């Protein structure tokens, strides 16, 4: 197994990296995107708040403090986003692994309420379009920016762990997929690669840990 070279398209937590090392892989990590918190005006904030990433939560709480979230109903995408909010003492009204699932929950149970969506500059259209089509009152505030940070990778990897479409974009600016197997956190990330390679494995659950597990299982 020593010859299997794995590249992670973001810096991993020490325990996540250790799982790969324990499996006998050689591991390289590089952040192909960076995050910049944006200045924004906290105006017209609805009673229901939507977060689709941890970055949005961090941007809002750094700018406005936790008091902005107090007494609000919180809706989020991703288990890590939900956990971050709950660790801060917030109660999450509804959460889902994918934006379209959360949008379906909102349009079914909360369609007559008003929402504020805290987003990044590269956010997908899925959630706001689904809500607007259903007549849900929605305003959007962009609170962070995703910046592509390309790096050239010298050693050709056997497998690449991808965690976002923008991470794929950052990698491809100075590197090629070649014959590498691409392990993707979700279908949106995999979609970016579909015209480039057929060697795609999608995580069962959209989490970093599950991407790591899929990679280990693939090479067992």
């Amino acid at each position: 197994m020593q010859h299997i070279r794995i590249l992670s398209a973001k810096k991993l937590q020490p325990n996540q990296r250790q799982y790969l090392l324990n499996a006998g892989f050689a591991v390289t990590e590089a952040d192909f995107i960076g995050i910049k918190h944006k200045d924004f005006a906290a105006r017209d904030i609805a009673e229901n708040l939507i977060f689709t990433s941890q970055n949005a939560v961090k941007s809002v709480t750094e700018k406005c403090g936790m008091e902005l979230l107090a007494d609000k109903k919180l809706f989020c995408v991703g288990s890590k986003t939900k956990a971050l909010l709950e660790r801060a003492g917030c109660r999450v009204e509804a959460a889902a692994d994918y934006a379209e699932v959360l949008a379906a929950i909102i349009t079914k149970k909360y369609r007559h309420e008003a929402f504020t969506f805290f987003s990044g500059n590269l956010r997908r259209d899925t959630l706001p379009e689904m809500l607007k089509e259903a007549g849900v009152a929605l305003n959007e505030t962009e609170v962070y920016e995703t910046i592509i940070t390309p790096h050239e990778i010298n050693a050709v990897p056997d497998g690449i762990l991808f965690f976002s479409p923008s991470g794929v974009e950052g990698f491809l600016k100075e590197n090629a997929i070649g014959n590498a197997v691409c392990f993707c956190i979700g279908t949106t990330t995999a979609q970016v690669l579909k015209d480039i390679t057929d060697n795609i494995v999608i995580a069962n659950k959209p989490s970093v840990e599950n991407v790591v597990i899929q990679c280990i299982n693939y090479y067992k």
Side-chain angles (χ1 to χ4, degrees):
M1 292 279 273
Q2 289 301 129
H3 65 287
I4 301 294
R5 293 184 297 273
I6 301 299
L7 169 68
S8 174
K10 67 177 275 186
K11 296 286 180 65
L12 299 169
Q13 296 295 324
N15 62 318
Q16 296 162 350
R17 177 185 172 87
Q18 196 59 49
Y19 290 143
L20 294 166
L21 295 174
N22 290 348
F25 301 142
V27 181
T28 303
E29 303 163 90
D31 284 324
F32 290 96
I33 59 170
I35 300 298
K36 178 184 177 184
H37 298 320
K38 294 185 67 172
D39 200 23
F40 63 94
R43 292 194 302 264
D44 305 320
I45 305 299
E47 289 304 304
N48 302 286
L49 309 181
I50 300 173
F51 295 95
T52 56
S53 74
Q54 296 177 78
N55 293 317
V57 175
K58 292 171 184 173
S59 294
V60 170
T61 53
E62 280 186 20
K63 164 78 175 176
C64 305
M66 293 305 302
E67 52 269 23
L68 182 71
L69 308 187
D71 303 322
K72 304 285 189 185
K73 285 196 280 192
L74 306 181
F75 298 76
C76 67
V77 173
S79 58
K80 293 291 177 67
T81 308
K82 181 174 186 278
L84 180 61
L85 288 165
E86 289 177 338
R87 281 199 304 274
C90 301
R91 186 179 71 83
V92 175
E93 180 79 10
D97 283 338
Y98 289 100
E100 48 267 45
V101 178
L102 182 65
I105 293 169
I106 291 171
T107 55
K108 184 175 181 181
K109 290 186 65 178
Y110 306 91
R111 66 185 307 153
H112 301 300
E113 300 184 32
F115 289 80
T116 294
F117 175 25
F118 292 113
S119 66
N121 64 315
L122 298 182
R123 68 105 172 103
R124 292 171 61 211
D125 295 332
T126 306
L127 188 142
E129 284 186 355
M130 286 180 68
L131 296 187
K132 286 171 182 174
E133 282 174 13
V136 176
L138 177 73
N139 64 65
E140 184 174 352
T141 300
E142 194 173 289
V143 297
Y144 72 93
E145 185 179 353
T146 302
I147 301 161
I148 305 297
T149 55
H151 307 278
E152 186 177 357
I153 302 299
N154 294 321
V156 178
D158 298 294
I160 310 171
L161 314 184
F162 285 118
F163 304 98
S164 68
S166 45
V168 175
E169 182 185 344
F171 174 84
L172 290 174
K173 281 197 177 296
E174 294 196 9
N175 307 279
I177 298 295
N179 295 319
V181 180
C182 298
F183 300 90
C184 298
I185 196 165
T187 52
T188 309
T189 302
Q191 187 75 13
V192 183
L193 289 159
K194 70 178 181 61
D195 293 329
I196 299 169
T197 180
D198 294 325
N199 296 329
I200 298 171
V201 177
I202 302 173
N204 298 330
K205 186 174 175 59
S207 69
V208 175
E209 289 78 9
N210 197 268
V211 175
V212 169
I213 289 166
Q214 293 295 328
C215 176
I216 291 169
N217 289 344
Y218 181 88
Y219 288 109
K220 266 186 177 174

